[in-house]
Each structure stands twice: as C-alpha cells, then as structure tokens.
C-alpha cells in the first residue's frame, strides 16, 4: 500500500509539472467582435474549409523544460506521393530552415504532408515524413521530398534535447481531421512567442462569392515573431507598452510559417503570386519582417482538375486553370485570412511557463478589448457574441 501511495503521489506531482495551469478562457477573434475584411468565412473559419484538407497536432509538454510539438497539414485523403498537388513556396525573409523548398520551387509539386515543428527538429521530422511516405506508398521509391517548416521555440523549450520522434510525427498525422482546428499553444505552436506574448497556431478562411467562382482560401499560421501589434488598425502593441524598438531593447526576431490552401485551380506560378500576398496580411498585423525572422509561405491547390499526373507517358495532359485576372479576389481572401489567423493564434494561446522557469503571458483579452473599443474597430454581430 505504501508503494502504491508513493506511485500515485509521484504521478500527481509529475502531471502537475507537465501541464502549465491556465484557467483564463480564450476566444477567437470573431467571438470578440474582431471582424477582418469584407469576405465571408467558411463554416469553420479554418484551413479545413478547403475540401479535403486535414490538420493534426502532437503537443509535447514534459517536465519543466520541454514545450514543443508537431503540426501537420494534409492536402487530401489519397496517396499524396502518387497524387501530387500543385504547390509554390515564397520566402519573405529567409532566416530559417524550410526543408523541401528547393524542389517545390523547381517542380511546383507537393508530395508529402506539410509538417511544422521547432528549428532543431527539422531533420528528425523530415526523416519521419520520409519513413511515413515509404510505408504508405510502397514500391521502390528512391526519392522523397519531405516538407518541413520551423520556428525557434528555444525560449520556452529546451530545444537542444531534440525530443521529437517518428512516433510523434505519426501521431500528428493520425490525429489529423477536417472541421474545427485546435489553436493557440498546441502542436508546433506549443512554445512559440509573438509580439512578446504567447503565440501559437492560428487559422482562418475566406469564401469568394459565387459570381467570382465560389472558391475557398484557407490559412494556417505558426506564429513566433515580433513587431508592433496592430489589430484592425488599432495600435494594440503601443497601448499595451510591448512593442519592437521600445527603448531599443525589445527584439522582434523570430519566424512565422504561413500555409495557404485553396480549391481554386491554380498553377504553381499562380500559387506563388497568392503566397506573396500572404505577406501583406502579416504586415497588417504589425510585423516588419526583421533580419532574424524566417517568414515563409507555402501555398497549394487541392483542385484535382489542375494536377499534372506523374506518368511515363510524354503526351500532353489537359488541365483546368483560372485566368490571371481571376486571381485578384483570391489575393484579397488570402490577405484577410492571414491577418485573422495571426490574431487567432494570439487570442487562443494561453500563458506558458517553460525552460529555466521562463514565463510568457497570454495577451490580456480584457485590455485588448478596451483598446479596440477605444479605437472603434469592433464589429459586433449576433453570431459572434462572447459565450
């Protein structure tokens, strides 16, 4: 009995150390009356509003030093390696390690799930994606282009321990689902920081009117960067007294990964144009893309009618693509969705204590609301009241 009691006591102590306690209820931007732009959202206001897209997380919190994880974005339910999707990559500021980017630049194809993680875990996560692809696709595959983005969570996470395993990546893949996406301090956003507050994973979507094609654009972000936070034009960072260049002490380096999905039939060069516009959404939140920030965008289309089939048949293939003038509404959609996804990553994140006892506070929603009311930038709607 004494041994059993000690085991139970140890389990309680260990569990309490594993999970930082945070009781404050968190909200998405629209639940607070923060409505970005003019276009309507999809059902879930998430990247998963793009049909076929799934998102999965593996959150890793261990002891008082490990605060990290993996997030995966899967473009469709089939065999991605055998049924590749059009894809493009854009570096707004290339201080980072984005695995798989050069082949995407050259071929314009995505052949594995997109994985997000921490900086020093990129090789291990890439290796896991290779192993997953070999096991899923079979055959005598001799080349796999794993796609892995990263931000550095080393302030809250003892990043040098490189704890992420193949099973962690597999867990994230197997947990992937459509519908609502968990946001905030989860998956690859577990240990991230944005604008001096707790950052994380955020997502949003936009749907074009039927007369403009009815296409959906979804965005997911991993936020770990700085600047002067602006929400719907209100200088929130200045009002809260936490912003880049304050007393020339505050740093704004870090990174953001922006994943863009659409069901519009776009070629890789058109997807790159779409990816570039995501940086405008980032800028609207107050980021200057500093020297030390790895700001990357990867964009793909799920539309099966624009996929070029991998085949030994050299004859031309027929595909469907939008004309270039049809891209302008999609540009508006990606700017709005990126901006709102970043807000969601901040507003849903919870206070986290991690490596060496460092504590990063969640952005105070009550104070944010006061500032937004002061600048009259809230847009209350019956659908978006506080619960």
């Amino acid at each position: 009995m004494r041994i059993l009691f000690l085991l139970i006591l140890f389990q309680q102590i260990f569990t309490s150390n594993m999970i930082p306690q945070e009781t404050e209820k968190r909200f998405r931007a629209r639940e607070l009356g923060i409505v970005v732009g003019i276009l309507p959202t999809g059902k879930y206001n998430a990247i998963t509003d793009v049909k076929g897209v799934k998102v999965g997380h593996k959150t890793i919190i261990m002891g008082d030093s490990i605060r990290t994880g993996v997030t995966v974005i899967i473009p469709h339910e089939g065999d991605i390696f055998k049924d590749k999707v059009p894809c493009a990559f854009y570096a707004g500021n290339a201080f980072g390690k984005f695995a798989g980017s050069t082949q995407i630049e050259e071929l314009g194809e995505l052949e594995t799930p997109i994985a997000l993680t921490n900086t020093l875990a990129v090789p291990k996560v890439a290796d896991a994606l290779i192993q997953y692809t070999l096991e899923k696709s079979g055959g005598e595959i001799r080349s796999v282009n794993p796609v892995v983005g990263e931000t550095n969570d080393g302030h809250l996470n003892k990043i040098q321990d490189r704890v992420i395993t193949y099973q962690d990546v597999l867990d994230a893949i197997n947990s992937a689902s459509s519908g609502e996406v968990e946001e905030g301090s989860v998956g690859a956003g577990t240990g991230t920081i944005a604008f001096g507050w707790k950052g994380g994973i955020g997502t949003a979507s936009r749907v074009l009117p039927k007369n403009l094609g009815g296409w959906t654009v979804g965005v997911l972000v991993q936020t770990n960067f700085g600047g002067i936070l602006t929400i719907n034009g209100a200088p929130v960072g200045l009002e809260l007294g936490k912003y880049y260049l304050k007393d020339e002490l505050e740093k704004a380096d870090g990174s953001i990964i922006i994943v863009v999905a659409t069901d519009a039939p776009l070629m890789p060069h058109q997807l790159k144009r779409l990816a570039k516009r995501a940086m405008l959404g980032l800028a609207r939140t107050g980021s200057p893309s500093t020297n030390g920030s790895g700001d990357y965008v990867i964009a793909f289309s799920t539309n099966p009618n624009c996929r070029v089939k991998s085949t030994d048949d050299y004859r031309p293939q027929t595909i469907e693509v939008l004309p270039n003038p049809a891209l302008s509404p999609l540009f508006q959609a990606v700017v709005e969705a990126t901006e709102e996804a970043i807000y969601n990553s901040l507003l849903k994140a919870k206070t986290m204590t991690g490596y060496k006892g460092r504590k990063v506070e969640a952005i105070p929603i009550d104070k944010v609301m006061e500032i937004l009311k002061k600048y009259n930038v809230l847009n209350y709607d019956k659908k978006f009241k506080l619960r």
Side-chain angles (χ1 to χ4, degrees):
M1 288 294 293
R2 183 178 180 182
I3 294 175
L4 179 61
F5 171 78
L6 290 173
L7 285 173
I8 294 172
L9 180 62
F10 174 80
Q11 183 180 32
Q12 290 175 339
I13 294 172
F14 183 70
T15 302
S16 66
N17 285 335
M18 279 182 64
I19 304 176
Q21 299 300 309
E22 171 60 48
T23 58
E24 180 188 2
K25 184 169 177 58
R26 309 298 291 176
F27 299 93
R28 305 189 81 196
R30 291 198 170 228
E31 294 173 317
L32 298 169
I34 304 169
V35 178
V36 176
I38 60 171
L39 294 171
T41 72
K43 179 180 179 181
Y44 300 105
N45 193 16
I47 195 171
T48 49
D49 286 319
V50 179
K51 186 177 180 181
V53 175
K54 293 184 176 182
V55 175
H57 301 298
K58 179 59 182 287
T59 301
I60 304 172
I61 296 176
M62 297 163 47
D64 58 6
S65 297
I66 302 301
R67 306 284 185 270
T68 194
V70 180
T71 295
V72 296
I73 301 92
I74 302 176
H76 63 71
E77 294 183 352
D79 188 326
I80 306 166
F81 185 82
K82 295 177 180 177
D83 193 10
K84 300 173 176 58
V85 300
C87 186
F89 173 81
Y90 179 69
N93 190 70
F95 195 121
K97 297 84 188 162
F98 200 111
S101 60
T102 57
Q103 184 167 310
I104 291 174
E105 287 270 52
E106 186 70 20
L107 302 182
E109 296 175 334
L110 178 67
E111 61 184 35
T112 71
I114 298 167
L116 309 179
T117 188
N118 75 62
T119 305
L120 297 187
V122 170
K124 297 182 75 173
V125 175
D127 184 68
L129 285 180
I130 292 172
Q131 187 62 35
Y132 166 78
T133 301
L134 293 174
E135 293 176 359
K136 182 177 177 64
S137 299
E140 297 185 3
I141 298 173
R142 295 190 295 175
S143 174
V144 177
N145 187 49
V147 177
V148 185
E150 55 79 24
T151 69
N152 197 308
D153 58 15
H155 183 77
L156 285 171
N157 174 48
K158 192 179 180 185
I159 196 171
Q160 298 83 1
D161 282 4
R162 304 178 70 232
V163 299
I164 293 175
T165 65
Y166 168 69
Q167 188 59 50
D168 292 326
V169 179
L170 194 62
D171 288 347
I173 292 172
N174 289 336
S175 73
S177 62
S178 56
E180 294 183 358
V181 176
E182 190 176 4
E183 297 171 292
S185 308
V186 296
T190 301
T192 62
I193 305 167
F195 295 106
W197 306 102
K198 185 67 188 69
I201 299 295
T203 188
S205 70
R206 293 295 185 271
V207 180
L208 298 189
K210 291 295 183 183
N211 65 321
L212 295 176
W215 310 113
T216 300
V217 174
V219 172
L220 181 141
V221 297
Q222 177 195 19
T223 59
N224 192 52
F225 64 97
I228 306 171
L229 177 59
T230 302
I231 297 181
N232 263 7
V236 174
L238 289 174
E239 291 277 0
L240 291 176
K242 186 175 289 191
Y243 52 89
Y244 178 47
L245 295 183
K246 178 189 177 185
D247 300 323
E248 297 185 349
L249 295 176
E250 298 291 336
K251 293 182 179 181
D253 290 341
S255 296
I256 181 171
I257 306 298
I258 304 171
V259 181
V260 180
T262 183
D263 57 0
L266 302 180
M267 294 295 289
H269 73 280
Q270 294 174 313
L271 286 165
K272 186 156 191 171
R273 297 182 69 199
L274 189 67
K276 289 179 179 179
R277 270 61 179 192
M279 292 296 297
L280 301 179
L282 171 63
R284 282 164 60 158
T285 68
S287 167
S289 284
T290 59
N291 171 73
S293 189
D295 301 339
Y296 296 109
V297 189
I298 182 168
F300 63 88
S301 171
T302 63
N303 194 304
N305 296 325
C306 64
R307 296 176 195 168
V308 177
K309 307 300 180 184
S310 297
T311 174
D312 292 331
D313 188 341
Y314 289 1
R315 290 176 297 181
Q317 299 180 27
T318 301
I319 59 174
E320 297 178 3
V321 297
L322 290 182
N324 284 325
L327 267 63
S328 289
L330 295 171
F331 294 162
Q332 180 68 30
V334 77
V335 172
E336 291 185 11
T338 301
E339 182 180 0
E340 187 167 342
I342 292 169
Y343 298 154
N344 285 335
S345 75
L346 282 162
L347 295 167
K348 289 292 287 183
K350 296 182 178 181
T351 297
M352 179 78 69
T353 301
Y355 185 41
K356 295 185 176 180
R358 297 166 180 160
K359 185 176 183 180
V360 178
E361 299 282 350
I363 193 166
I365 290 180
D366 55 346
K367 293 182 180 178
V368 169
M369 293 299 289
E370 290 176 5
I371 296 166
L372 299 182
K373 290 174 183 177
K374 173 182 175 181
Y375 287 90
N376 194 30
V377 296
L378 292 173
N379 185 3
Y380 286 111
D381 185 284
K382 291 180 180 179
K383 294 182 292 184
F384 305 121
K385 287 186 177 180
L386 292 176
R387 292 195 295 268

